[in-house]
Amino acid sequence: MPRSADQAYAELIRRFKDYSTLGSCAAVLGWDERVNLPRQGAGHRAEQMALLARLTHDMLVAPVIGELLTEVEGTTLVGDRESVPAVNVREIRRLYDRAVKLPAELVAELARVTTHAQQVWQEARQKHEFAAFQPWLEKIVALKRQEAQAIGYKEAPYDALLDEYEPGATAREITQVFAALRADLVPLIAAIAASGRQARQDILERDYPVDRQQVFGQAAAAAIGFDFGAGRLDRTTHPFCSGIGPGDCRITTRYNPRYFNEAFFGILHEAGHGLYEQGLAREHAGTPMGSAVSLGIHESQSRLWENQVGRGRPFWEHFFPRARQVFLDALHNISLDDFLFTINQVRPSFIRVEADEATYNLHIILRFELEQGLIGGDLQAADMPGAWDEKFRQLFGLTPPDSALGCLQDIHWSGGGIGYFPTYTLGNLYAAQFMEQARHDLGDLDGDFRQGRFDWLKGWLNDKIHRPGMRWTPGELCRRITGKPLSHQPLLAYLRQKYAPLYHL
Amino acid sequence: MPRSADQAYAELIRRFKDYSTLGSCAAVLGWDERVNLPRQGAGHRAEQMALLARLTHDMLVAPVIGELLTEVEGTTLVGDRESVPAVNVREIRRLYDRAVKLPAELVAELARVTTHAQQVWQEARQKHEFAAFQPWLEKIVALKRQEAQAIGYKEAPYDALLDEYEPGATAREITQVFAALRADLVPLIAAIAASGRQARQDILERDYPVDRQQVFGQAAAAAIGFDFGAGRLDRTTHPFCSGIGPGDCRITTRYNPRYFNEAFFGILHEAGHGLYEQGLAREHAGTPMGSAVSLGIHESQSRLWENQVGRGRPFWEHFFPRARQVFLDALHNISLDDFLFTINQVRPSFIRVEADEATYNLHIILRFELEQGLIGGDLQAADMPGAWDEKFRQLFGLTPPDSALGCLQDIHWSGGGIGYFPTYTLGNLYAAQFMEQARHDLGDLDGDFRQGRFDWLKGWLNDKIHRPGMRWTPGELCRRITGKPLSHQPLLAYLRQKYAPLYHL
């Protein structure tokens, strides 16, 4: 007797949940590697991770997955494309197709090359020598172009790579939004520079004892709604958030005893990611319906809490009096106005991860254009330093003094992560557009923030963004929530409103 | 062309290493569960652990493992039974046979029953109600008897269970050694009681700040040779040591701010286990040749450092002056003699885990006899409380006031761990016998200890016990190192020598 569509679907979900659960085991090991691993344990950990990667991959590409998908597709079970089964089947199909389309040799070669390339990159950056990294960037670009061909695309090979991080997005759409953003952002940043006003930098570079930063940061994360009964905060070198599974989401940070921003805004940022993970639908855990929809939307949640909320005056009207008590030596003679100006100052700089809210997006636009050139074939790896510096001058009016402050600063390309960068600015754009809508839907959010209350906003995000999981694509989600496609205008409006009083614009 | 024995062996080892590596992933998750897991993450962690258990079991019982074993067995490759291939094939065969002999339904039923039984046991212990636990103990005994039948045995069904923890050991041999031990131990303990001398208990129950205990304990673990570049020390509720893999061995402890012994001797104990794990042959990692040989030998390493070394006068001649500086308030007016008497006092008590070095073994003898009765069919679960109390009176001259201080105190039986208890006293016996030999081989070890030097002893243990892995059975290992089979005499001689001056015997 042939299996019914219901039975096939149940079996598909059972197998996919195993795949997800094994992936979540790797997530535990990955978190542990970056938080706890003894120095000498690195070799064995690499073997463990390689084995888990192989086993999860085998589970996903098992022929039975393809058969089950085929049995279910086209049946009435998935007739309503927004129903739970339809969403799960659509997304499992997407993952399955991506995985089976990639030849095993290409996957192995990419793993081999990027492992080596990351070591070379690290050394090249230290020595400011792009030449050492160049042949590896060439290899990686060639392999990623092969990957794009194997995956397939409608308009541009770059789209096939982008799709891994931002399902359904295309370079064409992003280019349009980024162009509009750039057109408005460059004059805004120029006006800020022309104002001649500067914040007091010394305020943040005082003594902020690490144990106090830890307690204060954890309290702030709890205040915005991160559930420490279902999560942790730990120290690491390169902070991240890991949503291991239901009831277990872990954020990390690093503390600089002489710089306030790094840990505090880092914790808010990671807690924003964490709220997304903690807000996913538990009843759909281990399936696409219970998973984050894209990196761009994920980043929107971190940027929303870090910047839209966490750098705002209402937030600090609540938190600054406490901060002044906790960091008495550093802040006792500092006014809220001075503090707010300092944490919101705009200063063009060479390093992306140190950039402010405004110039940050220019760093992303630069990378987005360059990596499109690499994948499209218009830009050769050998020409990268020149192209980078040229674009940097156009956007920032500055020339990087060396490649460590230029095209060697980021780890992404050495790890094969081409197509990842635009999700950062997509996150900023989505965050502004969602926040504009939340203020419209919920009324006086600033009044909440002044009282240290974040539950209305968190509830709105849970409801509108977290619980839907992958039900809609990022673009559809944006349209459903805000009634409009993604636009640069909310971010621009937000930045203008923020900087006008600070820089007397 | 048929596969050569060499090729079959290589394939067998490749597959077995995958099995070990996946098991080591479960070890990371198990450690994390007991050290880091957020409260709400328990459900998902259980699913992760169940999946890893299923996948590792599937890897071990894959028919190809049996085929590869058959291809290699009987060939010249394994002709020398002490060669690396012979040892690995012998032990993989042992594991494989144990795994395939157990019917899947029995394994599943044991997992189901013991998961539930542990909850029932916990509640029953709290309420001092053996009756609630009794039907579950009955079920577990019935299942373990089935397990013994499925595994097979030569003399007694109990041996089949014992073999899981102590390969090659038999109830008959252990009974002989334990009987001799008991015959000498009971009069020694009686003489100690009759001496009327008592140590100052208050010394240990003073203020020992937790942060200082942590630093002092970690320094002591490092001093005896535990490598913190390849390990960690963390806090947990029920301390343990987890040898995750090469370069990654983690010990845990718990701190009582008003009791010195718990964390300090706990850390030495776990560090002793850790030295074994760190001393295994790295080139054989993931194979039996690079694995610990038995629980009894493992326990010998922890007891050796905790007791033979860590409770001795030479050790404290080095550490006590430092302890007095670190725990100034608690120890400034305490003499080394008083301190040594306190950490070595003998006091019959109801709870095994709180017992001293002498009476501890009576707790084990009691459990060993009772669980043989259960598995042999001479003792019914319903009669356990009476049998326990009767034996306790015989051994200790005391009657437990309730079952929480009697037969409900340990978790082992509720988890299906029947056959595990004797390994604790085997550990004490092996520790004494190895230490006697080490003193014979290395000369003035006490002189080393007085100077805080433990490298000669550690090197001897690495060489004699750790690096051989599973090359010999525990019994063979003992004979090879000490020239004699396991005996109760070294432990008795050690205890007599220790207690004679303390109790004026």
Side-chain angles (χ1 to χ4, degrees), chain A residues 18 24 32 36 40-41 44 48 54 227 229 232 247 250 282, chain B residues 18 24 32 36 38 40-41 44 48 54 227 229 232 247 250 282:
Chain A
D18 276 356
S24 78
D32 181 84
N36 295 315
Q40 292 180 41
H44 182 65
Q48 292 175 307
R54 173 155 62 81
D227 181 354
R232 301 175 51 89
R250 305 180 182 193
R282 283 208 182 195
Chain B
D18 277 356
S24 78
D32 181 83
N36 295 316
Q40 291 179 42
H44 182 64
Q48 292 175 307
R54 174 156 61 82
D227 181 354
R232 302 175 51 90
R250 304 180 182 192
R282 284 208 181 194

PDB file of all heavy atoms in Angstrom, chain A residues 18 24 32 36 40-41 44 48 54 227 229 232 247 250 282, chain B residues 18 24 32 36 38 40-41 44 48 54 227 229 232 247 250 282:
ATOM      1  N   ASP A  18      15.985  15.184  12.865  1.00  0.00           N
ATOM      2  CA  ASP A  18      17.254  14.541  13.214  1.00  0.00           C
ATOM      3  C   ASP A  18      18.433  15.351  12.659  1.00  0.00           C
ATOM      4  O   ASP A  18      19.426  15.587  13.343  1.00  0.00           O
ATOM      5  CB  ASP A  18      17.322  13.115  12.640  1.00  0.00           C
ATOM      6  CG  ASP A  18      16.626  12.099  13.536  1.00  0.00           C
ATOM      7  OD1 ASP A  18      16.162  12.485  14.629  1.00  0.00           O
ATOM      8  OD2 ASP A  18      16.553  10.921  13.134  1.00  0.00           O
ATOM      9  N   SER A  24      22.505  20.943  15.708  1.00  0.00           N
ATOM     10  CA  SER A  24      22.541  21.671  16.979  1.00  0.00           C
ATOM     11  C   SER A  24      23.601  21.099  17.915  1.00  0.00           C
ATOM     12  O   SER A  24      24.112  21.809  18.784  1.00  0.00           O
ATOM     13  CB  SER A  24      21.155  21.670  17.641  1.00  0.00           C
ATOM     14  OG  SER A  24      20.888  20.435  18.266  1.00  0.00           O
ATOM     15  N   ASP A  32      31.357  25.876  22.342  1.00  0.00           N
ATOM     16  CA  ASP A  32      32.374  25.438  23.302  1.00  0.00           C
ATOM     17  C   ASP A  32      33.781  25.753  22.795  1.00  0.00           C
ATOM     18  O   ASP A  32      34.654  26.160  23.551  1.00  0.00           O
ATOM     19  CB  ASP A  32      32.208  23.927  23.526  1.00  0.00           C
ATOM     20  CG  ASP A  32      33.213  23.380  24.533  1.00  0.00           C
ATOM     21  OD1 ASP A  32      32.942  23.465  25.738  1.00  0.00           O
ATOM     22  OD2 ASP A  32      34.264  22.876  24.099  1.00  0.00           O
ATOM     23  N   ASN A  36      35.349  27.748  25.620  1.00  0.00           N
ATOM     24  CA  ASN A  36      35.949  26.893  26.646  1.00  0.00           C
ATOM     25  C   ASN A  36      37.159  26.085  26.226  1.00  0.00           C
ATOM     26  O   ASN A  36      37.871  25.589  27.083  1.00  0.00           O
ATOM     27  CB  ASN A  36      34.919  25.851  27.109  1.00  0.00           C
ATOM     28  CG  ASN A  36      33.739  26.468  27.794  1.00  0.00           C
ATOM     29  OD1 ASN A  36      33.887  27.347  28.629  1.00  0.00           O
ATOM     30  ND2 ASN A  36      32.545  26.024  27.435  1.00  0.00           N
ATOM     31  N   GLN A  40      45.200  22.875  23.684  1.00  0.00           N
ATOM     32  CA  GLN A  40      45.645  21.664  22.999  1.00  0.00           C
ATOM     33  C   GLN A  40      44.500  20.819  22.425  1.00  0.00           C
ATOM     34  O   GLN A  40      44.737  19.789  21.800  1.00  0.00           O
ATOM     35  CB  GLN A  40      46.467  20.794  23.955  1.00  0.00           C
ATOM     36  CG  GLN A  40      47.798  21.418  24.325  1.00  0.00           C
ATOM     37  CD  GLN A  40      48.585  20.539  25.277  1.00  0.00           C
ATOM     38  OE1 GLN A  40      48.621  19.324  25.117  1.00  0.00           O
ATOM     39  NE2 GLN A  40      49.207  21.134  26.279  1.00  0.00           N
ATOM     40  N   GLY A  41      43.273  21.233  22.676  1.00  0.00           N
ATOM     41  CA  GLY A  41      42.143  20.438  22.204  1.00  0.00           C
ATOM     42  C   GLY A  41      41.707  20.777  20.786  1.00  0.00           C
ATOM     43  O   GLY A  41      40.775  20.168  20.258  1.00  0.00           O
ATOM     44  N   HIS A  44      41.600  17.809  18.014  1.00  0.00           N
ATOM     45  CA  HIS A  44      40.501  16.856  18.165  1.00  0.00           C
ATOM     46  C   HIS A  44      39.161  17.524  17.875  1.00  0.00           C
ATOM     47  O   HIS A  44      38.274  16.909  17.273  1.00  0.00           O
ATOM     48  CB  HIS A  44      40.502  16.264  19.577  1.00  0.00           C
ATOM     49  CG  HIS A  44      39.436  15.234  19.782  1.00  0.00           C
ATOM     50  ND1 HIS A  44      39.418  14.039  19.101  1.00  0.00           N
ATOM     51  CD2 HIS A  44      38.327  15.235  20.568  1.00  0.00           C
ATOM     52  CE1 HIS A  44      38.347  13.339  19.472  1.00  0.00           C
ATOM     53  NE2 HIS A  44      37.675  14.044  20.354  1.00  0.00           N
ATOM     54  N   GLN A  48      36.152  16.374  15.384  1.00  0.00           N
ATOM     55  CA  GLN A  48      34.749  16.240  15.773  1.00  0.00           C
ATOM     56  C   GLN A  48      33.845  17.047  14.845  1.00  0.00           C
ATOM     57  O   GLN A  48      32.815  16.551  14.375  1.00  0.00           O
ATOM     58  CB  GLN A  48      34.566  16.742  17.217  1.00  0.00           C
ATOM     59  CG  GLN A  48      35.231  15.869  18.268  1.00  0.00           C
ATOM     60  CD  GLN A  48      35.107  16.487  19.663  1.00  0.00           C
ATOM     61  OE1 GLN A  48      35.461  17.645  19.867  1.00  0.00           O
ATOM     62  NE2 GLN A  48      34.614  15.721  20.617  1.00  0.00           N
ATOM     63  N   ARG A  54      30.095  16.020   8.137  1.00  0.00           N
ATOM     64  CA  ARG A  54      29.895  14.938   7.170  1.00  0.00           C
ATOM     65  C   ARG A  54      28.577  14.205   7.445  1.00  0.00           C
ATOM     66  O   ARG A  54      27.785  13.945   6.529  1.00  0.00           O
ATOM     67  CB  ARG A  54      31.088  13.979   7.258  1.00  0.00           C
ATOM     68  CG  ARG A  54      30.958  12.726   6.440  1.00  0.00           C
ATOM     69  CD  ARG A  54      32.322  12.135   6.073  1.00  0.00           C
ATOM     70  NE  ARG A  54      33.143  11.722   7.190  1.00  0.00           N
ATOM     71  CZ  ARG A  54      32.991  10.546   7.849  1.00  0.00           C
ATOM     72  NH1 ARG A  54      32.026   9.704   7.501  1.00  0.00           N
ATOM     73  NH2 ARG A  54      33.800  10.223   8.835  1.00  0.00           N
ATOM     74  N   ASP A 227      16.089  35.988  28.006  1.00  0.00           N
ATOM     75  CA  ASP A 227      15.718  35.092  29.110  1.00  0.00           C
ATOM     76  C   ASP A 227      16.934  34.271  29.531  1.00  0.00           C
ATOM     77  O   ASP A 227      17.339  33.347  28.825  1.00  0.00           O
ATOM     78  CB  ASP A 227      14.572  34.186  28.654  1.00  0.00           C
ATOM     79  CG  ASP A 227      14.114  33.236  29.753  1.00  0.00           C
ATOM     80  OD1 ASP A 227      14.746  33.197  30.832  1.00  0.00           O
ATOM     81  OD2 ASP A 227      13.105  32.534  29.519  1.00  0.00           O
ATOM     82  N   GLY A 229      17.034  32.174  31.864  1.00  0.00           N
ATOM     83  CA  GLY A 229      16.653  30.799  32.196  1.00  0.00           C
ATOM     84  C   GLY A 229      16.756  29.906  30.965  1.00  0.00           C
ATOM     85  O   GLY A 229      16.706  28.684  31.059  1.00  0.00           O
ATOM     86  N   ARG A 232      22.620  32.064  28.188  1.00  0.00           N
ATOM     87  CA  ARG A 232      23.796  32.410  28.962  1.00  0.00           C
ATOM     88  C   ARG A 232      24.500  33.605  28.311  1.00  0.00           C
ATOM     89  O   ARG A 232      24.271  33.903  27.142  1.00  0.00           O
ATOM     90  CB  ARG A 232      24.822  31.257  28.946  1.00  0.00           C
ATOM     91  CG  ARG A 232      24.360  29.959  29.474  1.00  0.00           C
ATOM     92  CD  ARG A 232      25.462  28.906  29.264  1.00  0.00           C
ATOM     93  NE  ARG A 232      26.726  29.369  29.771  1.00  0.00           N
ATOM     94  CZ  ARG A 232      27.148  29.189  31.025  1.00  0.00           C
ATOM     95  NH1 ARG A 232      26.397  28.529  31.871  1.00  0.00           N
ATOM     96  NH2 ARG A 232      28.316  29.656  31.412  1.00  0.00           N
ATOM     97  N   GLY A 247      15.117  26.689  24.390  1.00  0.00           N
ATOM     98  CA  GLY A 247      15.546  26.828  25.776  1.00  0.00           C
ATOM     99  C   GLY A 247      17.029  26.972  25.967  1.00  0.00           C
ATOM    100  O   GLY A 247      17.523  26.947  27.095  1.00  0.00           O
ATOM    101  N   ARG A 250      22.789  31.146  23.494  1.00  0.00           N
ATOM    102  CA  ARG A 250      23.943  31.670  24.217  1.00  0.00           C
ATOM    103  C   ARG A 250      24.563  32.865  23.517  1.00  0.00           C
ATOM    104  O   ARG A 250      24.873  32.792  22.332  1.00  0.00           O
ATOM    105  CB  ARG A 250      24.975  30.548  24.380  1.00  0.00           C
ATOM    106  CG  ARG A 250      24.338  29.339  25.058  1.00  0.00           C
ATOM    107  CD  ARG A 250      25.295  28.198  25.238  1.00  0.00           C
ATOM    108  NE  ARG A 250      24.596  27.061  25.842  1.00  0.00           N
ATOM    109  CZ  ARG A 250      25.215  25.998  26.341  1.00  0.00           C
ATOM    110  NH1 ARG A 250      26.529  25.932  26.316  1.00  0.00           N
ATOM    111  NH2 ARG A 250      24.514  25.023  26.874  1.00  0.00           N
ATOM    112  N   ARG A 282       8.437  27.397  19.333  1.00  0.00           N
ATOM    113  CA  ARG A 282       8.967  26.153  19.901  1.00  0.00           C
ATOM    114  C   ARG A 282       8.322  24.919  19.304  1.00  0.00           C
ATOM    115  O   ARG A 282       8.952  23.876  19.167  1.00  0.00           O
ATOM    116  CB  ARG A 282       8.739  26.121  21.415  1.00  0.00           C
ATOM    117  CG  ARG A 282       9.705  26.991  22.158  1.00  0.00           C
ATOM    118  CD  ARG A 282       9.941  26.462  23.554  1.00  0.00           C
ATOM    119  NE  ARG A 282      10.843  27.380  24.232  1.00  0.00           N
ATOM    120  CZ  ARG A 282      11.481  27.100  25.349  1.00  0.00           C
ATOM    121  NH1 ARG A 282      11.312  25.931  25.937  1.00  0.00           N
ATOM    122  NH2 ARG A 282      12.283  27.973  25.891  1.00  0.00           N
TER     123      ARG A 282
ATOM    124  N   ASP B  18      35.653   6.897  13.944  1.00  0.00           N
ATOM    125  CA  ASP B  18      34.440   7.709  13.774  1.00  0.00           C
ATOM    126  C   ASP B  18      33.483   7.485  14.944  1.00  0.00           C
ATOM    127  O   ASP B  18      32.913   8.428  15.494  1.00  0.00           O
ATOM    128  CB  ASP B  18      33.719   7.336  12.462  1.00  0.00           C
ATOM    129  CG  ASP B  18      34.313   8.060  11.256  1.00  0.00           C
ATOM    130  OD1 ASP B  18      35.215   8.897  11.451  1.00  0.00           O
ATOM    131  OD2 ASP B  18      33.856   7.787  10.134  1.00  0.00           O
ATOM    132  N   SER B  24      32.767  11.116  21.538  1.00  0.00           N
ATOM    133  CA  SER B  24      33.409  12.249  22.212  1.00  0.00           C
ATOM    134  C   SER B  24      32.599  13.531  22.018  1.00  0.00           C
ATOM    135  O   SER B  24      32.684  14.442  22.847  1.00  0.00           O
ATOM    136  CB  SER B  24      34.852  12.421  21.723  1.00  0.00           C
ATOM    137  OG  SER B  24      34.900  13.054  20.466  1.00  0.00           O
ATOM    138  N   ASP B  32      28.834  19.754  29.081  1.00  0.00           N
ATOM    139  CA  ASP B  32      28.127  21.031  28.991  1.00  0.00           C
ATOM    140  C   ASP B  32      26.810  20.981  29.773  1.00  0.00           C
ATOM    141  O   ASP B  32      26.433  21.940  30.443  1.00  0.00           O
ATOM    142  CB  ASP B  32      27.854  21.341  27.510  1.00  0.00           C
ATOM    143  CG  ASP B  32      27.134  22.659  27.315  1.00  0.00           C
ATOM    144  OD1 ASP B  32      27.803  23.704  27.304  1.00  0.00           O
ATOM    145  OD2 ASP B  32      25.895  22.655  27.179  1.00  0.00           O
ATOM    146  N   ASN B  36      27.055  23.934  32.124  1.00  0.00           N
ATOM    147  CA  ASN B  36      26.591  25.185  31.514  1.00  0.00           C
ATOM    148  C   ASN B  36      25.117  25.271  31.179  1.00  0.00           C
ATOM    149  O   ASN B  36      24.620  26.365  30.951  1.00  0.00           O
ATOM    150  CB  ASN B  36      27.321  25.390  30.167  1.00  0.00           C
ATOM    151  CG  ASN B  36      28.792  25.591  30.339  1.00  0.00           C
ATOM    152  OD1 ASN B  36      29.226  26.334  31.205  1.00  0.00           O
ATOM    153  ND2 ASN B  36      29.572  24.901  29.532  1.00  0.00           N
ATOM    154  N   PRO B  38      21.520  26.011  30.317  1.00  0.00           N
ATOM    155  CA  PRO B  38      20.427  26.797  30.895  1.00  0.00           C
ATOM    156  C   PRO B  38      19.276  25.863  31.285  1.00  0.00           C
ATOM    157  O   PRO B  38      19.034  24.850  30.620  1.00  0.00           O
ATOM    158  CB  PRO B  38      19.994  27.718  29.750  1.00  0.00           C
ATOM    159  CG  PRO B  38      21.132  27.727  28.787  1.00  0.00           C
ATOM    160  CD  PRO B  38      21.801  26.393  28.934  1.00  0.00           C
ATOM    161  N   GLN B  40      16.120  25.852  30.960  1.00  0.00           N
ATOM    162  CA  GLN B  40      15.094  25.471  29.988  1.00  0.00           C
ATOM    163  C   GLN B  40      15.632  24.650  28.824  1.00  0.00           C
ATOM    164  O   GLN B  40      14.871  24.245  27.948  1.00  0.00           O
ATOM    165  CB  GLN B  40      14.405  26.728  29.445  1.00  0.00           C
ATOM    166  CG  GLN B  40      13.553  27.447  30.478  1.00  0.00           C
ATOM    167  CD  GLN B  40      12.905  28.693  29.895  1.00  0.00           C
ATOM    168  OE1 GLN B  40      12.421  28.691  28.769  1.00  0.00           O
ATOM    169  NE2 GLN B  40      12.907  29.773  30.652  1.00  0.00           N
ATOM    170  N   GLY B  41      16.939  24.432  28.792  1.00  0.00           N
ATOM    171  CA  GLY B  41      17.513  23.693  27.672  1.00  0.00           C
ATOM    172  C   GLY B  41      17.530  22.187  27.860  1.00  0.00           C
ATOM    173  O   GLY B  41      17.972  21.451  26.975  1.00  0.00           O
ATOM    174  N   HIS B  44      15.702  19.850  25.075  1.00  0.00           N
ATOM    175  CA  HIS B  44      16.414  19.722  23.801  1.00  0.00           C
ATOM    176  C   HIS B  44      17.710  18.935  23.975  1.00  0.00           C
ATOM    177  O   HIS B  44      18.082  18.139  23.109  1.00  0.00           O
ATOM    178  CB  HIS B  44      16.697  21.101  23.215  1.00  0.00           C
ATOM    179  CG  HIS B  44      17.374  21.053  21.882  1.00  0.00           C
ATOM    180  ND1 HIS B  44      16.768  20.518  20.764  1.00  0.00           N
ATOM    181  CD2 HIS B  44      18.613  21.428  21.486  1.00  0.00           C
ATOM    182  CE1 HIS B  44      17.606  20.579  19.742  1.00  0.00           C
ATOM    183  NE2 HIS B  44      18.734  21.132  20.157  1.00  0.00           N
ATOM    184  N   GLN B  48      19.134  15.722  21.923  1.00  0.00           N
ATOM    185  CA  GLN B  48      20.467  15.649  21.301  1.00  0.00           C
ATOM    186  C   GLN B  48      21.212  14.394  21.762  1.00  0.00           C
ATOM    187  O   GLN B  48      21.793  13.663  20.958  1.00  0.00           O
ATOM    188  CB  GLN B  48      21.286  16.896  21.674  1.00  0.00           C
ATOM    189  CG  GLN B  48      20.771  18.192  21.074  1.00  0.00           C
ATOM    190  CD  GLN B  48      21.552  19.398  21.582  1.00  0.00           C
ATOM    191  OE1 GLN B  48      21.703  19.591  22.786  1.00  0.00           O
ATOM    192  NE2 GLN B  48      22.058  20.214  20.674  1.00  0.00           N
ATOM    193  N   ARG B  54      21.886   6.962  19.639  1.00  0.00           N
ATOM    194  CA  ARG B  54      21.384   6.103  18.571  1.00  0.00           C
ATOM    195  C   ARG B  54      22.393   6.007  17.429  1.00  0.00           C
ATOM    196  O   ARG B  54      22.697   4.918  16.928  1.00  0.00           O
ATOM    197  CB  ARG B  54      20.044   6.669  18.071  1.00  0.00           C
ATOM    198  CG  ARG B  54      19.469   5.979  16.870  1.00  0.00           C
ATOM    199  CD  ARG B  54      17.955   6.147  16.775  1.00  0.00           C
ATOM    200  NE  ARG B  54      17.479   7.516  16.640  1.00  0.00           N
ATOM    201  CZ  ARG B  54      17.432   8.198  15.487  1.00  0.00           C
ATOM    202  NH1 ARG B  54      17.858   7.626  14.358  1.00  0.00           N
ATOM    203  NH2 ARG B  54      16.967   9.421  15.436  1.00  0.00           N
ATOM    204  N   ASP B 227      47.521  19.072  33.260  1.00  0.00           N
ATOM    205  CA  ASP B 227      47.927  20.073  32.273  1.00  0.00           C
ATOM    206  C   ASP B 227      46.732  20.951  31.901  1.00  0.00           C
ATOM    207  O   ASP B 227      45.835  20.504  31.191  1.00  0.00           O
ATOM    208  CB  ASP B 227      48.484  19.356  31.040  1.00  0.00           C
ATOM    209  CG  ASP B 227      48.960  20.336  29.972  1.00  0.00           C
ATOM    210  OD1 ASP B 227      48.760  21.565  30.138  1.00  0.00           O
ATOM    211  OD2 ASP B 227      49.529  19.869  28.971  1.00  0.00           O
ATOM    212  N   GLY B 229      46.758  23.382  29.929  1.00  0.00           N
ATOM    213  CA  GLY B 229      46.752  23.705  28.507  1.00  0.00           C
ATOM    214  C   GLY B 229      45.969  22.676  27.722  1.00  0.00           C
ATOM    215  O   GLY B 229      45.653  22.863  26.552  1.00  0.00           O
ATOM    216  N   ARG B 232      40.562  21.766  31.814  1.00  0.00           N
ATOM    217  CA  ARG B 232      39.891  22.839  32.528  1.00  0.00           C
ATOM    218  C   ARG B 232      39.448  22.340  33.895  1.00  0.00           C
ATOM    219  O   ARG B 232      39.352  21.139  34.125  1.00  0.00           O
ATOM    220  CB  ARG B 232      38.608  23.272  31.805  1.00  0.00           C
ATOM    221  CG  ARG B 232      38.752  23.737  30.401  1.00  0.00           C
ATOM    222  CD  ARG B 232      37.365  24.002  29.792  1.00  0.00           C
ATOM    223  NE  ARG B 232      36.574  24.849  30.660  1.00  0.00           N
ATOM    224  CZ  ARG B 232      36.555  26.185  30.605  1.00  0.00           C
ATOM    225  NH1 ARG B 232      37.288  26.794  29.696  1.00  0.00           N
ATOM    226  NH2 ARG B 232      35.816  26.884  31.433  1.00  0.00           N
ATOM    227  N   GLY B 247      44.103  16.292  24.261  1.00  0.00           N
ATOM    228  CA  GLY B 247      44.245  17.723  24.506  1.00  0.00           C
ATOM    229  C   GLY B 247      43.044  18.362  25.153  1.00  0.00           C
ATOM    230  O   GLY B 247      43.002  19.593  25.272  1.00  0.00           O
ATOM    231  N   ARG B 250      38.492  17.494  31.096  1.00  0.00           N
ATOM    232  CA  ARG B 250      37.884  18.513  31.956  1.00  0.00           C
ATOM    233  C   ARG B 250      37.492  17.927  33.306  1.00  0.00           C
ATOM    234  O   ARG B 250      36.789  16.915  33.369  1.00  0.00           O
ATOM    235  CB  ARG B 250      36.672  19.105  31.250  1.00  0.00           C
ATOM    236  CG  ARG B 250      37.072  19.657  29.893  1.00  0.00           C
ATOM    237  CD  ARG B 250      35.910  20.251  29.136  1.00  0.00           C
ATOM    238  NE  ARG B 250      36.365  20.716  27.826  1.00  0.00           N
ATOM    239  CZ  ARG B 250      35.640  21.485  27.025  1.00  0.00           C
ATOM    240  NH1 ARG B 250      34.443  21.875  27.397  1.00  0.00           N
ATOM    241  NH2 ARG B 250      36.129  21.854  25.851  1.00  0.00           N
ATOM    242  N   ARG B 282      48.517   9.277  22.716  1.00  0.00           N
ATOM    243  CA  ARG B 282      47.818  10.112  21.723  1.00  0.00           C
ATOM    244  C   ARG B 282      47.766   9.460  20.354  1.00  0.00           C
ATOM    245  O   ARG B 282      46.820   9.631  19.603  1.00  0.00           O
ATOM    246  CB  ARG B 282      48.513  11.463  21.574  1.00  0.00           C
ATOM    247  CG  ARG B 282      48.216  12.380  22.724  1.00  0.00           C
ATOM    248  CD  ARG B 282      48.296  13.837  22.279  1.00  0.00           C
ATOM    249  NE  ARG B 282      48.037  14.674  23.433  1.00  0.00           N
ATOM    250  CZ  ARG B 282      47.757  15.967  23.370  1.00  0.00           C
ATOM    251  NH1 ARG B 282      47.699  16.581  22.201  1.00  0.00           N
ATOM    252  NH2 ARG B 282      47.526  16.654  24.451  1.00  0.00           N
TER     253      ARG B 282
END
